[in-house]
Amino acid sequence: MSARDCNGAELEDGDSVQVNKDLKVKGMSKTLKRGTTIKNIHTTDKDSEVECRIGKSTIVLRTEFLKKA
């Protein structure tokens, strides 16, 4: 089992991804804008989710809103 982005590319630990849609993050006043690059992601047990750090917060994002950078 492996995590795949919206285009079908395989995601691995340490990859960089870009957000392909504006996302409101629960619990944060910040909105992730389209095109934001997130570095050093970590895969989770679920294929449809990855974990990453935004500032000092660790959040989980769904892979359907990400593309490999």
Side-chain angles (χ1 to χ4, degrees):
M1 298 198 318
S2 61
R4 297 193 176 271
D5 69 358
C6 66
N7 296 325
E10 191 170 333
L11 298 174
E12 299 176 359
D13 286 350
D15 283 346
S16 295
V17 294
Q18 283 186 333
V19 179
N20 63 4
K21 179 182 176 182
D22 288 353
L23 298 175
K24 293 182 182 178
V25 181
K26 288 184 179 180
M28 293 178 69
S29 60
K30 188 175 185 179
T31 299
L32 291 178
K33 298 290 184 183
R34 181 179 183 183
T36 302
T37 301
I38 301 169
K39 298 178 182 177
N40 200 19
I41 64 166
H42 299 285
T43 55
T44 61
D45 294 336
K46 296 183 180 180
D47 289 342
S48 62
E49 296 177 347
V50 294
E51 193 174 77
C52 58
R53 291 189 55 87
I54 305 294
K56 294 184 180 181
S57 303
T58 301
I59 62 171
V60 175
L61 295 174
R62 298 193 46 97
T63 56
E64 63 193 62
F65 302 118
L66 304 173
K67 66 179 179 178
K68 197 168 187 174

